Amino acid sequence: MTRERTSGLATEVRFLKGVGPKGAALLEKIGLRTVEDVLWHLPRRYEDRRDAPQIMLLRPGRSSTVIGKLEIVRSRGIGRGRVIVEALVSDETGEIVLCFFNQPWVGRQLEKYTGQRVVAYGSVKEGYRRRLELHGVEWEPAEDDVDAFARIVPVYALSEGVPQRLVRAAAAAAVGQFGNDVPDPLPHTFRKQHGLPLSSEALTELHHPTSDEARIRARRRFAFEEFLYLQIALQVRRQEIKQEVGISFPIRSLGKSRASAGTLFEPETGSPLSEEVAALFPFELTEAQNRVIQHVWRDMEAAAPMNRLVQGDVGSGKTAVAAAAMLAAVRCGWQAAMMAPTEILAEQHYFNLKKVFDPRGIPVVLLAGKLGARDRKSALAKAENGEGRILVGTHALIQEGVKFHSLGLIVIDEQHRFGVAQRMALRQKGETLPDVLVMTATPIPRSFTMTMYGDLDVSVLDELPPGRSPVTTYWRRPGDRSKVYSQVEELLATGAQAYFVCPMISENEKIQAQAAEDLHYRLSTGVFAHRKVGLLHGQMKAQEKEAVMEAFRAGETAILVATVVIEVGVDVPNASVMVVEDANRFGLAQLHQLRGRVGRGARRSFCILISEGTSDDVVERMQTLVDTTDGFVIAEKDLRLRGPGDLMGTQQHGLLTFQVADLVKDAILLEEAREAARLLVANGELDRPEWAMVVERTRARRGDEALVTVS
Ligand code: ADP
Ligand code: MG
């Protein structure tokens, strides 16, 4: 966080009590030059030293404060030049030995206090012959103020050679001398409304906690403030987009010459385009799909560019929504582009869309990196001369140098890999601002949606198409593999089909393909030698893949061995068994996605995860999948297990990194900050002078990593 420098806060640290020039040089090592730097160098954690039991009551394995008389100090070598300093401390109930490893100087300091009372904090251990020891000790002579030591003590992040004690002293002095100089950017009434303590008080509390409650309230204040800046930026962004002028797709007047002239409020079903969409698929759209399509069309009709997110669990039918949007764009005379995060996914979309649009004479063109030079050239020409009406590719491809004839709509199918910045970059591509529809392959927790996509309008597909049967999931150890195989065989005997997902051993597609070939060999020459076993991986040619899929779809092959290629788009209702080998190598969200391939038909479906329980983390992942099929529950769990950065990929770090706030723990606070930001922006409150500092800081925040492209 950038903080402006007012005179007192700009004071150099060497002027702080207990720091001096030497201390200042050390503090500089961790980037602390001014009082302000020190104040905003917040503790990493706290030690509660208030509990100071009598020595008799100390329990090994716990951290405790010890108060007693320092009896004897001695140093002894323990070989290879190492030294241990031991100090015996006693009270009326017992004795304990404070142990200091390789800090010979501590012996000399301690000796000065023999016979006097000291107070120490550390972790209690049981040593040789059950003697009580205290390790990792911090201590002070207990001259007068034991309470100053036995309190909730801040622990700061350090680097080598910078003593904790120095940072603590600097922080204490900074708070004491300058704490009140810290300005509060939030207006008084706003703070009261949200129960936020004054900035200076909260900061003081964080460095010098008086109670757990007050400290938690102080932390909450700064977490809220961080969320608020980001959410204001996103809301402003959103408002800016709404004021831009894009394309008004005349969706409702399509085919008016035929139908009676409708008003904007005519029943939404029954319009010619609705009829055409209904005829697009071999199934009836779910209510949720219809609802979301209406949201999308309404956005497309409006002059402001659409900026909408469609969120839905695996298999909820997002592609149909995308197709409906693209059809609308095409019928209004524009091109539509669909971008996928991987080539495989792009190809998959291409084949599916082709099936839908070919019969209607709407040309779908694939822009893939794999294309030969000639095909690529022809695809690019079709994008530019307008012959291609729907263009499908990876986002890398479409972002780079493709010229469009008349691009009106961009659909981003993103499996959460696309940031605000990239979306903005895209938007600035065309002369006319195209509409943007983002589809996230859940699971993404809500707190993420609000951060990553806080500038978007959100529609949720909260209904799965009918005919899905719940999948029963089992977790089996590798030792049970042959038993699992014979159970699969029993199901195959009833006419079911099965997927075998091969272990994820590498991101490298070639190596991964090899792994799939190995598993295919093992199964097709071993237990399942009497069955037809297919093989599918990313290194195969598109045609080969199609043939393999066709054979499996037609029931000619009983088993399909595959890499995560099948994570996307593969849809065979009769396949009701999935075995995931070395399931521990997959992330929770990915396993959920994979599992979505079964449970699509009338048969009872099973997913069997084969994995060792090598760590708590693995156990928790496996157990979560066994326990639930709810994508959002899984998403929250995934976030908790992996942490935000990892979940979203490195590009997203900027938006997801906070100094104080925590997307998992502070999810409710985030909602509150978002709503507050929404109201501030909607009511134009930020123009008032009392919000000037907030506006300034929001700008600073918007300037950092993730929001760079925001004008
Ligand atoms: P996702 O939301 O995971 O992208 P898809 O769009 O790939 O889901 O759809 C999953 C499967 O469900 C596809 O095979 C699709 O044809 C099918 N599907 C989509 N909508 C419906 C529906 N309303 N009724 C029946 N099947 C549907
Ligand atoms: Mg999809």
Side-chain angles (χ1 to χ4, degrees), residues 471 473 588 592 595 622-635 637:
V471 181
T473 302
L588 200 42
H592 177 64
R595 181 169 61 178
M622 297 304 128
Q623 204 53 49
T624 302
L625 286 157
V626 169
D627 291 344
T628 183
T629 52
D630 183 328
F632 286 92
V633 173
I634 289 169
K637 191 64 142 213

Side-chain angles (χ1 to χ4, degrees), residues 373-642:
R374 217 186 50 201
D375 287 346
R376 188 180 153 87
K377 208 169 149 208
S378 130
L380 288 172
K382 283 179 185 163
E384 191 168 1
N385 67 22
E387 198 183 312
R389 304 311 296 166
I390 293 177
L391 297 307
V392 186
T394 63
H395 35 65
L397 204 68
I398 293 188
Q399 262 174 304
E400 287 162 18
V402 180
K403 292 203 187 69
F404 292 95
H405 180 258
S406 48
L407 183 62
L409 170 72
I410 299 172
V411 178
I412 304 173
D413 186 5
E414 68 166 353
Q415 309 219 313
H416 48 242
R417 268 170 231 182
F418 220 59
V420 176
Q422 288 102 317
R423 284 203 305 277
M424 292 301 105
L426 247 182
R427 203 176 259 297
Q428 264 121 40
K429 221 179 126 60
E431 284 151 42
T432 324
L433 290 172
D435 279 7
V436 173
L437 182 64
V438 181
M439 306 193 299
T440 58
T442 35
I444 299 182
R446 184 168 156 72
S447 53
F448 264 77
T449 312
M450 285 191 299
T451 309
M452 302 272 311
Y453 305 110
D455 59 333
L456 306 184
D457 299 307
V458 180
S459 298
V460 182
L461 280 174
D462 50 5
E463 177 188 1
L464 290 179
R468 301 279 162 86
S469 45
V471 181
T472 312
T473 302
Y474 297 101
W475 171 24
R476 293 289 178 261
R477 306 301 167 115
D480 296 329
R481 194 172 263 129
S482 54
K483 213 155 102 202
V484 168
Y485 288 1
S486 58
Q487 280 159 348
V488 171
E489 175 55 35
E490 274 172 40
L491 291 164
L492 295 180
T494 70
Q497 288 169 282
Y499 296 107
F500 275 77
V501 181
C502 83
M504 182 72 193
I505 58 171
S506 168
E507 290 285 331
N508 180 313
E509 278 196 33
K510 274 212 183 88
I511 298 175
Q512 198 50 43
Q514 185 61 50
E517 277 164 10
D518 291 349
L519 179 63
H520 177 258
Y521 179 79
R522 190 157 64 76
L523 297 179
S524 60
T525 58
V527 232
F528 300 108
H530 59 296
R531 298 265 175 208
K532 283 224 166 101
V533 185
L535 171 66
L536 186 70
H537 60 68
Q539 288 295 96
M540 294 161 60
K541 293 211 175 72
Q543 268 174 339
E544 287 175 281
K545 274 190 252 177
E546 255 322 282
V548 169
M549 280 314 304
E550 204 39 61
F552 191 62
R553 216 173 278 132
E556 287 160 23
T557 38
I559 294 177
L560 185 63
V561 174
T563 59
V564 283
V565 174
I566 61 159
E567 188 185 335
V568 289
V570 174
D571 190 23
V572 180
N574 193 48
S576 56
V577 189
M578 172 173 284
V579 178
V580 184
E581 299 276 354
D582 291 353
N584 53 305
R585 293 185 180 235
F586 295 93
L588 200 42
Q590 197 168 28
L591 287 168
H592 177 64
Q593 193 90 16
L594 281 168
R595 181 169 61 178
R597 299 302 116 200
V598 291
R600 292 172 167 246
R603 284 179 183 277
R604 223 185 125 197
S605 295
F606 303 92
C607 176
I608 302 143
L609 308 168
I610 299 185
S611 165
E612 208 76 78
T614 42
S615 65
D616 290 354
D617 179 86
V618 170
V619 172
E620 204 166 348
R621 259 185 288 156
M622 297 304 128
Q623 204 53 49
T624 302
L625 286 157
V626 169
D627 291 344
T628 183
T629 52
D630 183 328
F632 286 92
V633 173
I634 289 169
E636 299 289 347
K637 191 64 142 213
D638 203 19
L639 177 59
R640 219 152 283 163
L641 286 176
R642 288 206 280 162

Side-chain angles (χ1 to χ4, degrees), residues 318-319 349 413:
K318 293 183 288 290
T319 319
H349 279 313
D413 186 5

Side-chain angles (χ1 to χ4, degrees), residues 14 19-27 166:
R14 68 194 159 100
V19 176
K22 260 201 203 150
L26 287 170
L27 290 175
L166 172 67

